[in-house]
Amino acid sequence: MDSRAWDERYAAAELVWGGEPNRWVVRETEGLAPGRALDLAAGEGRNALWLAARGWRATAVDFSAVALDRGRRLADSRPPEVREHLDWVRADLASYRPDTGAFDLVLVVYLHVPAAERRAVLRRAADAVAPGGTLLVVGHDTANLTEGVGGPQDAAVLFTPDDVLADLEGTGLEPRRAERVRRPVAGPDGGRAHAVDALVRLERPRPS
């Protein structure tokens, strides 16, 4: 899906992903000391906004101008100290190269692209992680096709924790968590169901 299609999708709804941060982002990062954060495929910026409110200097990157404009409008309703901690960058992750070693936290949350493109994005994301920093990758797991609900229905853009670890082999990052996690969602009949996500958190060791 190209940026124009995503612009249309974001324009058709008030908040495509809701206003709250992703539950796994909260769980995995709320104990970290604030620093510089990079949110790749940020959409409307829900995770970047949450991080900025907690003292992070957050850069939100997405290729949808509509999503970024909405994120800026959401930021305008927040206190000045939150707005001042946010940067918005329109860029295609297929070519975007963040500064090397510049971020204490890098998020790649629900980016679903073919495997070769995913690997390139993740390796550039890994390069951006500073010593002592964290890379968090979350997305719909391949098992979601048969064991969960929602998300992309194309296995070619889904992944497992092992896929992410293989993508990042040799980058110098050390795994801290790599697992399938279940997220409560509304089922197709309105009842309670679960989506199956892949979650991988890695850290770059500090020099000894």
Side-chain angles (χ1 to χ4, degrees), residues 80-116:
E81 60 269 23
V82 175
R83 296 196 300 271
E84 292 166 0
H85 278 77
L86 285 162
D87 295 304
W88 305 91
V89 176
R90 186 185 180 193
D92 189 333
L93 296 188
S95 56
Y96 177 71
R97 292 185 175 275
D99 293 338
T100 300
F103 296 92
D104 304 292
L105 172 64
V106 180
L107 303 179
V108 185
V109 181
Y110 299 105
L111 173 67
H112 290 283
V113 293

PDB file of all heavy atoms in Angstrom, residues 80-116:
ATOM      1  N   PRO A  80       2.396  22.788  26.419  1.00  0.00           N
ATOM      2  CA  PRO A  80       3.560  23.223  25.622  1.00  0.00           C
ATOM      3  C   PRO A  80       4.773  22.316  25.771  1.00  0.00           C
ATOM      4  O   PRO A  80       5.490  22.075  24.797  1.00  0.00           O
ATOM      5  CB  PRO A  80       3.846  24.635  26.163  1.00  0.00           C
ATOM      6  CG  PRO A  80       2.551  25.099  26.716  1.00  0.00           C
ATOM      7  CD  PRO A  80       1.861  23.872  27.254  1.00  0.00           C
ATOM      8  N   GLU A  81       4.998  21.800  26.983  1.00  0.00           N
ATOM      9  CA  GLU A  81       6.184  20.959  27.174  1.00  0.00           C
ATOM     10  C   GLU A  81       6.094  19.654  26.400  1.00  0.00           C
ATOM     11  O   GLU A  81       7.114  19.041  26.081  1.00  0.00           O
ATOM     12  CB  GLU A  81       6.408  20.665  28.661  1.00  0.00           C
ATOM     13  CG  GLU A  81       5.272  19.951  29.356  1.00  0.00           C
ATOM     14  CD  GLU A  81       4.269  20.904  29.982  1.00  0.00           C
ATOM     15  OE1 GLU A  81       4.188  22.070  29.542  1.00  0.00           O
ATOM     16  OE2 GLU A  81       3.575  20.468  30.918  1.00  0.00           O
ATOM     17  N   VAL A  82       4.872  19.212  26.074  1.00  0.00           N
ATOM     18  CA  VAL A  82       4.708  18.032  25.229  1.00  0.00           C
ATOM     19  C   VAL A  82       4.964  18.391  23.776  1.00  0.00           C
ATOM     20  O   VAL A  82       5.720  17.713  23.076  1.00  0.00           O
ATOM     21  CB  VAL A  82       3.300  17.421  25.405  1.00  0.00           C
ATOM     22  CG1 VAL A  82       3.095  16.262  24.424  1.00  0.00           C
ATOM     23  CG2 VAL A  82       3.113  16.938  26.835  1.00  0.00           C
ATOM     24  N   ARG A  83       4.342  19.459  23.298  1.00  0.00           N
ATOM     25  CA  ARG A  83       4.534  19.881  21.898  1.00  0.00           C
ATOM     26  C   ARG A  83       6.006  20.116  21.590  1.00  0.00           C
ATOM     27  O   ARG A  83       6.487  19.774  20.508  1.00  0.00           O
ATOM     28  CB  ARG A  83       3.733  21.152  21.619  1.00  0.00           C
ATOM     29  CG  ARG A  83       2.232  20.985  21.746  1.00  0.00           C
ATOM     30  CD  ARG A  83       1.504  22.140  21.081  1.00  0.00           C
ATOM     31  NE  ARG A  83       1.846  23.437  21.662  1.00  0.00           N
ATOM     32  CZ  ARG A  83       1.215  23.995  22.683  1.00  0.00           C
ATOM     33  NH1 ARG A  83       0.209  23.344  23.269  1.00  0.00           N
ATOM     34  NH2 ARG A  83       1.565  25.181  23.120  1.00  0.00           N
ATOM     35  N   GLU A  84       6.707  20.714  22.552  1.00  0.00           N
ATOM     36  CA  GLU A  84       8.111  21.054  22.329  1.00  0.00           C
ATOM     37  C   GLU A  84       9.008  19.819  22.288  1.00  0.00           C
ATOM     38  O   GLU A  84      10.157  19.912  21.847  1.00  0.00           O
ATOM     39  CB  GLU A  84       8.583  22.009  23.425  1.00  0.00           C
ATOM     40  CG  GLU A  84       7.918  23.373  23.344  1.00  0.00           C
ATOM     41  CD  GLU A  84       8.126  24.204  24.600  1.00  0.00           C
ATOM     42  OE1 GLU A  84       8.807  23.697  25.531  1.00  0.00           O
ATOM     43  OE2 GLU A  84       7.613  25.329  24.650  1.00  0.00           O
ATOM     44  N   HIS A  85       8.490  18.688  22.727  1.00  0.00           N
ATOM     45  CA  HIS A  85       9.273  17.451  22.720  1.00  0.00           C
ATOM     46  C   HIS A  85       8.972  16.567  21.517  1.00  0.00           C
ATOM     47  O   HIS A  85       9.385  15.410  21.483  1.00  0.00           O
ATOM     48  CB  HIS A  85       9.009  16.654  24.009  1.00  0.00           C
ATOM     49  CG  HIS A  85       9.812  17.133  25.174  1.00  0.00           C
ATOM     50  ND1 HIS A  85       9.496  18.267  25.865  1.00  0.00           N
ATOM     51  CD2 HIS A  85      10.939  16.636  25.767  1.00  0.00           C
ATOM     52  CE1 HIS A  85      10.382  18.447  26.832  1.00  0.00           C
ATOM     53  NE2 HIS A  85      11.270  17.477  26.794  1.00  0.00           N
ATOM     54  N   LEU A  86       8.269  17.105  20.525  1.00  0.00           N
ATOM     55  CA  LEU A  86       7.861  16.312  19.369  1.00  0.00           C
ATOM     56  C   LEU A  86       8.402  16.889  18.069  1.00  0.00           C
ATOM     57  O   LEU A  86       8.382  18.102  17.849  1.00  0.00           O
ATOM     58  CB  LEU A  86       6.331  16.250  19.281  1.00  0.00           C
ATOM     59  CG  LEU A  86       5.624  15.327  20.275  1.00  0.00           C
ATOM     60  CD1 LEU A  86       4.153  15.692  20.365  1.00  0.00           C
ATOM     61  CD2 LEU A  86       5.787  13.871  19.858  1.00  0.00           C
ATOM     62  N   ASP A  87       8.869  15.997  17.207  1.00  0.00           N
ATOM     63  CA  ASP A  87       9.236  16.350  15.835  1.00  0.00           C
ATOM     64  C   ASP A  87       8.479  15.414  14.902  1.00  0.00           C
ATOM     65  O   ASP A  87       8.306  14.228  15.203  1.00  0.00           O
ATOM     66  CB  ASP A  87      10.743  16.215  15.607  1.00  0.00           C
ATOM     67  CG  ASP A  87      11.544  17.198  16.434  1.00  0.00           C
ATOM     68  OD1 ASP A  87      11.297  18.408  16.323  1.00  0.00           O
ATOM     69  OD2 ASP A  87      12.418  16.746  17.208  1.00  0.00           O
ATOM     70  N   TRP A  88       8.043  15.948  13.760  1.00  0.00           N
ATOM     71  CA  TRP A  88       7.253  15.176  12.798  1.00  0.00           C
ATOM     72  C   TRP A  88       7.994  15.147  11.471  1.00  0.00           C
ATOM     73  O   TRP A  88       8.356  16.198  10.933  1.00  0.00           O
ATOM     74  CB  TRP A  88       5.869  15.805  12.618  1.00  0.00           C
ATOM     75  CG  TRP A  88       5.130  15.961  13.911  1.00  0.00           C
ATOM     76  CD1 TRP A  88       5.150  17.048  14.745  1.00  0.00           C
ATOM     77  CD2 TRP A  88       4.295  14.989  14.550  1.00  0.00           C
ATOM     78  NE1 TRP A  88       4.375  16.811  15.853  1.00  0.00           N
ATOM     79  CE2 TRP A  88       3.830  15.569  15.756  1.00  0.00           C
ATOM     80  CE3 TRP A  88       3.879  13.699  14.209  1.00  0.00           C
ATOM     81  CZ2 TRP A  88       2.985  14.884  16.629  1.00  0.00           C
ATOM     82  CZ3 TRP A  88       3.034  13.022  15.079  1.00  0.00           C
ATOM     83  CH2 TRP A  88       2.594  13.609  16.260  1.00  0.00           C
ATOM     84  N   VAL A  89       8.235  13.965  10.946  1.00  0.00           N
ATOM     85  CA  VAL A  89       9.025  13.806   9.723  1.00  0.00           C
ATOM     86  C   VAL A  89       8.229  12.970   8.724  1.00  0.00           C
ATOM     87  O   VAL A  89       7.843  11.833   9.029  1.00  0.00           O
ATOM     88  CB  VAL A  89      10.376  13.118  10.009  1.00  0.00           C
ATOM     89  CG1 VAL A  89      11.137  12.887   8.703  1.00  0.00           C
ATOM     90  CG2 VAL A  89      11.205  13.958  10.980  1.00  0.00           C
ATOM     91  N   ARG A  90       7.993  13.532   7.550  1.00  0.00           N
ATOM     92  CA  ARG A  90       7.345  12.753   6.495  1.00  0.00           C
ATOM     93  C   ARG A  90       8.435  12.092   5.656  1.00  0.00           C
ATOM     94  O   ARG A  90       9.270  12.765   5.046  1.00  0.00           O
ATOM     95  CB  ARG A  90       6.467  13.635   5.605  1.00  0.00           C
ATOM     96  CG  ARG A  90       5.677  12.827   4.584  1.00  0.00           C
ATOM     97  CD  ARG A  90       4.907  13.691   3.631  1.00  0.00           C
ATOM     98  NE  ARG A  90       4.164  12.871   2.683  1.00  0.00           N
ATOM     99  CZ  ARG A  90       3.594  13.342   1.588  1.00  0.00           C
ATOM    100  NH1 ARG A  90       3.669  14.632   1.289  1.00  0.00           N
ATOM    101  NH2 ARG A  90       2.949  12.525   0.774  1.00  0.00           N
ATOM    102  N   ALA A  91       8.428  10.773   5.650  1.00  0.00           N
ATOM    103  CA  ALA A  91       9.447  10.030   4.909  1.00  0.00           C
ATOM    104  C   ALA A  91       8.963   8.606   4.682  1.00  0.00           C
ATOM    105  O   ALA A  91       8.200   8.056   5.467  1.00  0.00           O
ATOM    106  CB  ALA A  91      10.771  10.005   5.681  1.00  0.00           C
ATOM    107  N   ASP A  92       9.426   8.029   3.589  1.00  0.00           N
ATOM    108  CA  ASP A  92       9.152   6.630   3.266  1.00  0.00           C
ATOM    109  C   ASP A  92      10.244   5.784   3.911  1.00  0.00           C
ATOM    110  O   ASP A  92      11.436   5.997   3.651  1.00  0.00           O
ATOM    111  CB  ASP A  92       9.154   6.452   1.741  1.00  0.00           C
ATOM    112  CG  ASP A  92       8.658   5.081   1.310  1.00  0.00           C
ATOM    113  OD1 ASP A  92       8.795   4.112   2.091  1.00  0.00           O
ATOM    114  OD2 ASP A  92       8.155   4.974   0.179  1.00  0.00           O
ATOM    115  N   LEU A  93       9.855   4.835   4.739  1.00  0.00           N
ATOM    116  CA  LEU A  93      10.845   4.021   5.435  1.00  0.00           C
ATOM    117  C   LEU A  93      11.667   3.159   4.493  1.00  0.00           C
ATOM    118  O   LEU A  93      12.723   2.654   4.883  1.00  0.00           O
ATOM    119  CB  LEU A  93      10.165   3.145   6.481  1.00  0.00           C
ATOM    120  CG  LEU A  93       9.470   3.882   7.626  1.00  0.00           C
ATOM    121  CD1 LEU A  93       9.008   2.882   8.684  1.00  0.00           C
ATOM    122  CD2 LEU A  93      10.376   4.929   8.250  1.00  0.00           C
ATOM    123  N   ALA A  94      11.210   2.998   3.262  1.00  0.00           N
ATOM    124  CA  ALA A  94      11.993   2.233   2.290  1.00  0.00           C
ATOM    125  C   ALA A  94      13.319   2.918   1.983  1.00  0.00           C
ATOM    126  O   ALA A  94      14.285   2.264   1.563  1.00  0.00           O
ATOM    127  CB  ALA A  94      11.195   2.036   1.004  1.00  0.00           C
ATOM    128  N   SER A  95      13.376   4.238   2.219  1.00  0.00           N
ATOM    129  CA  SER A  95      14.615   4.967   1.928  1.00  0.00           C
ATOM    130  C   SER A  95      15.108   5.809   3.104  1.00  0.00           C
ATOM    131  O   SER A  95      16.231   6.314   3.064  1.00  0.00           O
ATOM    132  CB  SER A  95      14.410   5.886   0.708  1.00  0.00           C
ATOM    133  OG  SER A  95      13.318   6.767   0.920  1.00  0.00           O
ATOM    134  N   TYR A  96      14.307   5.957   4.147  1.00  0.00           N
ATOM    135  CA  TYR A  96      14.661   6.815   5.268  1.00  0.00           C
ATOM    136  C   TYR A  96      15.815   6.220   6.073  1.00  0.00           C
ATOM    137  O   TYR A  96      15.801   5.041   6.414  1.00  0.00           O
ATOM    138  CB  TYR A  96      13.450   6.999   6.184  1.00  0.00           C
ATOM    139  CG  TYR A  96      13.714   7.811   7.427  1.00  0.00           C
ATOM    140  CD1 TYR A  96      13.941   9.179   7.353  1.00  0.00           C
ATOM    141  CD2 TYR A  96      13.730   7.196   8.682  1.00  0.00           C
ATOM    142  CE1 TYR A  96      14.168   9.929   8.499  1.00  0.00           C
ATOM    143  CE2 TYR A  96      13.953   7.939   9.827  1.00  0.00           C
ATOM    144  CZ  TYR A  96      14.176   9.297   9.733  1.00  0.00           C
ATOM    145  OH  TYR A  96      14.396  10.029  10.868  1.00  0.00           O
ATOM    146  N   ARG A  97      16.793   7.050   6.381  1.00  0.00           N
ATOM    147  CA  ARG A  97      17.944   6.601   7.165  1.00  0.00           C
ATOM    148  C   ARG A  97      18.110   7.506   8.379  1.00  0.00           C
ATOM    149  O   ARG A  97      18.600   8.627   8.271  1.00  0.00           O
ATOM    150  CB  ARG A  97      19.227   6.630   6.321  1.00  0.00           C
ATOM    151  CG  ARG A  97      19.237   5.591   5.210  1.00  0.00           C
ATOM    152  CD  ARG A  97      20.558   5.556   4.460  1.00  0.00           C
ATOM    153  NE  ARG A  97      20.578   4.484   3.492  1.00  0.00           N
ATOM    154  CZ  ARG A  97      20.902   3.235   3.748  1.00  0.00           C
ATOM    155  NH1 ARG A  97      21.257   2.904   4.979  1.00  0.00           N
ATOM    156  NH2 ARG A  97      20.890   2.316   2.804  1.00  0.00           N
ATOM    157  N   PRO A  98      17.726   7.035   9.551  1.00  0.00           N
ATOM    158  CA  PRO A  98      17.913   7.846  10.763  1.00  0.00           C
ATOM    159  C   PRO A  98      19.381   7.959  11.120  1.00  0.00           C
ATOM    160  O   PRO A  98      20.217   7.156  10.680  1.00  0.00           O
ATOM    161  CB  PRO A  98      17.139   7.065  11.821  1.00  0.00           C
ATOM    162  CG  PRO A  98      17.112   5.656  11.323  1.00  0.00           C
ATOM    163  CD  PRO A  98      17.092   5.737   9.824  1.00  0.00           C
ATOM    164  N   ASP A  99      19.696   8.950  11.927  1.00  0.00           N
ATOM    165  CA  ASP A  99      21.082   9.153  12.351  1.00  0.00           C
ATOM    166  C   ASP A  99      21.581   7.942  13.143  1.00  0.00           C
ATOM    167  O   ASP A  99      20.873   7.393  13.995  1.00  0.00           O
ATOM    168  CB  ASP A  99      21.193  10.406  13.218  1.00  0.00           C
ATOM    169  CG  ASP A  99      20.924  11.681  12.438  1.00  0.00           C
ATOM    170  OD1 ASP A  99      21.056  11.654  11.204  1.00  0.00           O
ATOM    171  OD2 ASP A  99      20.571  12.693  13.070  1.00  0.00           O
ATOM    172  N   THR A 100      22.792   7.556  12.874  1.00  0.00           N
ATOM    173  CA  THR A 100      23.381   6.390  13.529  1.00  0.00           C
ATOM    174  C   THR A 100      23.636   6.655  15.009  1.00  0.00           C
ATOM    175  O   THR A 100      24.200   7.688  15.379  1.00  0.00           O
ATOM    176  CB  THR A 100      24.698   6.013  12.839  1.00  0.00           C
ATOM    177  OG1 THR A 100      24.447   5.708  11.470  1.00  0.00           O
ATOM    178  CG2 THR A 100      25.348   4.818  13.516  1.00  0.00           C
ATOM    179  N   GLY A 101      23.199   5.724  15.839  1.00  0.00           N
ATOM    180  CA  GLY A 101      23.485   5.785  17.268  1.00  0.00           C
ATOM    181  C   GLY A 101      22.907   6.985  17.983  1.00  0.00           C
ATOM    182  O   GLY A 101      23.412   7.376  19.039  1.00  0.00           O
ATOM    183  N   ALA A 102      21.806   7.544  17.466  1.00  0.00           N
ATOM    184  CA  ALA A 102      21.305   8.806  17.991  1.00  0.00           C
ATOM    185  C   ALA A 102      20.123   8.672  18.944  1.00  0.00           C
ATOM    186  O   ALA A 102      19.734   9.654  19.574  1.00  0.00           O
ATOM    187  CB  ALA A 102      20.898   9.723  16.827  1.00  0.00           C
ATOM    188  N   PHE A 103      19.549   7.472  19.090  1.00  0.00           N
ATOM    189  CA  PHE A 103      18.285   7.348  19.814  1.00  0.00           C
ATOM    190  C   PHE A 103      18.382   6.320  20.936  1.00  0.00           C
ATOM    191  O   PHE A 103      18.905   5.224  20.761  1.00  0.00           O
ATOM    192  CB  PHE A 103      17.161   6.974  18.852  1.00  0.00           C
ATOM    193  CG  PHE A 103      16.895   8.039  17.818  1.00  0.00           C
ATOM    194  CD1 PHE A 103      17.528   7.998  16.588  1.00  0.00           C
ATOM    195  CD2 PHE A 103      16.038   9.096  18.095  1.00  0.00           C
ATOM    196  CE1 PHE A 103      17.303   8.994  15.642  1.00  0.00           C
ATOM    197  CE2 PHE A 103      15.806  10.085  17.160  1.00  0.00           C
ATOM    198  CZ  PHE A 103      16.445  10.036  15.929  1.00  0.00           C
ATOM    199  N   ASP A 104      17.800   6.693  22.068  1.00  0.00           N
ATOM    200  CA  ASP A 104      17.770   5.800  23.219  1.00  0.00           C
ATOM    201  C   ASP A 104      16.637   4.780  23.114  1.00  0.00           C
ATOM    202  O   ASP A 104      16.665   3.757  23.800  1.00  0.00           O
ATOM    203  CB  ASP A 104      17.590   6.629  24.496  1.00  0.00           C
ATOM    204  CG  ASP A 104      18.671   7.677  24.638  1.00  0.00           C
ATOM    205  OD1 ASP A 104      19.835   7.295  24.850  1.00  0.00           O
ATOM    206  OD2 ASP A 104      18.355   8.879  24.509  1.00  0.00           O
ATOM    207  N   LEU A 105      15.668   5.067  22.267  1.00  0.00           N
ATOM    208  CA  LEU A 105      14.547   4.149  22.042  1.00  0.00           C
ATOM    209  C   LEU A 105      14.106   4.278  20.594  1.00  0.00           C
ATOM    210  O   LEU A 105      13.900   5.391  20.098  1.00  0.00           O
ATOM    211  CB  LEU A 105      13.370   4.496  22.962  1.00  0.00           C
ATOM    212  CG  LEU A 105      12.054   3.745  22.728  1.00  0.00           C
ATOM    213  CD1 LEU A 105      12.228   2.250  22.994  1.00  0.00           C
ATOM    214  CD2 LEU A 105      10.946   4.319  23.605  1.00  0.00           C
ATOM    215  N   VAL A 106      13.980   3.146  19.922  1.00  0.00           N
ATOM    216  CA  VAL A 106      13.451   3.113  18.561  1.00  0.00           C
ATOM    217  C   VAL A 106      12.268   2.155  18.543  1.00  0.00           C
ATOM    218  O   VAL A 106      12.380   1.008  18.994  1.00  0.00           O
ATOM    219  CB  VAL A 106      14.517   2.679  17.535  1.00  0.00           C
ATOM    220  CG1 VAL A 106      13.910   2.651  16.132  1.00  0.00           C
ATOM    221  CG2 VAL A 106      15.721   3.618  17.575  1.00  0.00           C
ATOM    222  N   LEU A 107      11.136   2.622  18.024  1.00  0.00           N
ATOM    223  CA  LEU A 107       9.927   1.814  17.902  1.00  0.00           C
ATOM    224  C   LEU A 107       9.659   1.494  16.444  1.00  0.00           C
ATOM    225  O   LEU A 107       9.733   2.375  15.580  1.00  0.00           O
ATOM    226  CB  LEU A 107       8.710   2.563  18.442  1.00  0.00           C
ATOM    227  CG  LEU A 107       8.734   3.066  19.883  1.00  0.00           C
ATOM    228  CD1 LEU A 107       7.433   3.803  20.180  1.00  0.00           C
ATOM    229  CD2 LEU A 107       8.947   1.928  20.857  1.00  0.00           C
ATOM    230  N   VAL A 108       9.329   0.235  16.166  1.00  0.00           N
ATOM    231  CA  VAL A 108       8.788  -0.180  14.870  1.00  0.00           C
ATOM    232  C   VAL A 108       7.549  -0.995  15.205  1.00  0.00           C
ATOM    233  O   VAL A 108       7.634  -2.178  15.548  1.00  0.00           O
ATOM    234  CB  VAL A 108       9.797  -1.008  14.048  1.00  0.00           C
ATOM    235  CG1 VAL A 108       9.216  -1.301  12.658  1.00  0.00           C
ATOM    236  CG2 VAL A 108      11.136  -0.283  13.926  1.00  0.00           C
ATOM    237  N   VAL A 109       6.386  -0.359  15.134  1.00  0.00           N
ATOM    238  CA  VAL A 109       5.154  -0.944  15.658  1.00  0.00           C
ATOM    239  C   VAL A 109       4.130  -1.090  14.536  1.00  0.00           C
ATOM    240  O   VAL A 109       3.687  -0.096  13.953  1.00  0.00           O
ATOM    241  CB  VAL A 109       4.600  -0.070  16.800  1.00  0.00           C
ATOM    242  CG1 VAL A 109       3.321  -0.669  17.373  1.00  0.00           C
ATOM    243  CG2 VAL A 109       5.646   0.075  17.908  1.00  0.00           C
ATOM    244  N   TYR A 110       3.790  -2.328  14.217  1.00  0.00           N
ATOM    245  CA  TYR A 110       2.814  -2.679  13.183  1.00  0.00           C
ATOM    246  C   TYR A 110       3.200  -2.139  11.805  1.00  0.00           C
ATOM    247  O   TYR A 110       2.378  -1.584  11.086  1.00  0.00           O
ATOM    248  CB  TYR A 110       1.396  -2.235  13.577  1.00  0.00           C
ATOM    249  CG  TYR A 110       0.935  -2.906  14.845  1.00  0.00           C
ATOM    250  CD1 TYR A 110       0.886  -2.200  16.037  1.00  0.00           C
ATOM    251  CD2 TYR A 110       0.605  -4.258  14.872  1.00  0.00           C
ATOM    252  CE1 TYR A 110       0.510  -2.812  17.227  1.00  0.00           C
ATOM    253  CE2 TYR A 110       0.226  -4.881  16.051  1.00  0.00           C
ATOM    254  CZ  TYR A 110       0.187  -4.142  17.229  1.00  0.00           C
ATOM    255  OH  TYR A 110      -0.180  -4.755  18.399  1.00  0.00           O
ATOM    256  N   LEU A 111       4.455  -2.322  11.468  1.00  0.00           N
ATOM    257  CA  LEU A 111       4.902  -2.084  10.098  1.00  0.00           C
ATOM    258  C   LEU A 111       4.843  -3.419   9.371  1.00  0.00           C
ATOM    259  O   LEU A 111       5.599  -4.341   9.704  1.00  0.00           O
ATOM    260  CB  LEU A 111       6.329  -1.532  10.079  1.00  0.00           C
ATOM    261  CG  LEU A 111       6.946  -1.400   8.686  1.00  0.00           C
ATOM    262  CD1 LEU A 111       6.230  -0.331   7.865  1.00  0.00           C
ATOM    263  CD2 LEU A 111       8.445  -1.094   8.785  1.00  0.00           C
ATOM    264  N   HIS A 112       3.972  -3.518   8.378  1.00  0.00           N
ATOM    265  CA  HIS A 112       3.791  -4.778   7.663  1.00  0.00           C
ATOM    266  C   HIS A 112       4.089  -4.582   6.186  1.00  0.00           C
ATOM    267  O   HIS A 112       3.291  -4.021   5.436  1.00  0.00           O
ATOM    268  CB  HIS A 112       2.383  -5.319   7.899  1.00  0.00           C
ATOM    269  CG  HIS A 112       2.189  -5.803   9.296  1.00  0.00           C
ATOM    270  ND1 HIS A 112       2.693  -7.016   9.726  1.00  0.00           N
ATOM    271  CD2 HIS A 112       1.609  -5.231  10.375  1.00  0.00           C
ATOM    272  CE1 HIS A 112       2.412  -7.164  11.011  1.00  0.00           C
ATOM    273  NE2 HIS A 112       1.758  -6.099  11.429  1.00  0.00           N
ATOM    274  N   VAL A 113       5.277  -5.025   5.817  1.00  0.00           N
ATOM    275  CA  VAL A 113       5.783  -4.929   4.455  1.00  0.00           C
ATOM    276  C   VAL A 113       6.439  -6.262   4.116  1.00  0.00           C
ATOM    277  O   VAL A 113       6.701  -7.082   5.009  1.00  0.00           O
ATOM    278  CB  VAL A 113       6.798  -3.772   4.326  1.00  0.00           C
ATOM    279  CG1 VAL A 113       6.110  -2.421   4.527  1.00  0.00           C
ATOM    280  CG2 VAL A 113       7.955  -3.931   5.317  1.00  0.00           C
ATOM    281  N   PRO A 114       6.736  -6.525   2.843  1.00  0.00           N
ATOM    282  CA  PRO A 114       7.403  -7.785   2.493  1.00  0.00           C
ATOM    283  C   PRO A 114       8.720  -7.970   3.251  1.00  0.00           C
ATOM    284  O   PRO A 114       9.354  -6.996   3.683  1.00  0.00           O
ATOM    285  CB  PRO A 114       7.624  -7.651   0.982  1.00  0.00           C
ATOM    286  CG  PRO A 114       6.513  -6.757   0.530  1.00  0.00           C
ATOM    287  CD  PRO A 114       6.343  -5.759   1.648  1.00  0.00           C
ATOM    288  N   ALA A 115       9.126  -9.213   3.387  1.00  0.00           N
ATOM    289  CA  ALA A 115      10.238  -9.566   4.269  1.00  0.00           C
ATOM    290  C   ALA A 115      11.528  -8.819   3.963  1.00  0.00           C
ATOM    291  O   ALA A 115      12.220  -8.349   4.882  1.00  0.00           O
ATOM    292  CB  ALA A 115      10.475 -11.070   4.216  1.00  0.00           C
ATOM    293  N   ALA A 116      11.886  -8.690   2.691  1.00  0.00           N
ATOM    294  CA  ALA A 116      13.142  -8.026   2.354  1.00  0.00           C
ATOM    295  C   ALA A 116      13.107  -6.562   2.758  1.00  0.00           C
ATOM    296  O   ALA A 116      14.105  -6.019   3.275  1.00  0.00           O
ATOM    297  CB  ALA A 116      13.420  -8.166   0.856  1.00  0.00           C
TER     298      ALA A 116
END
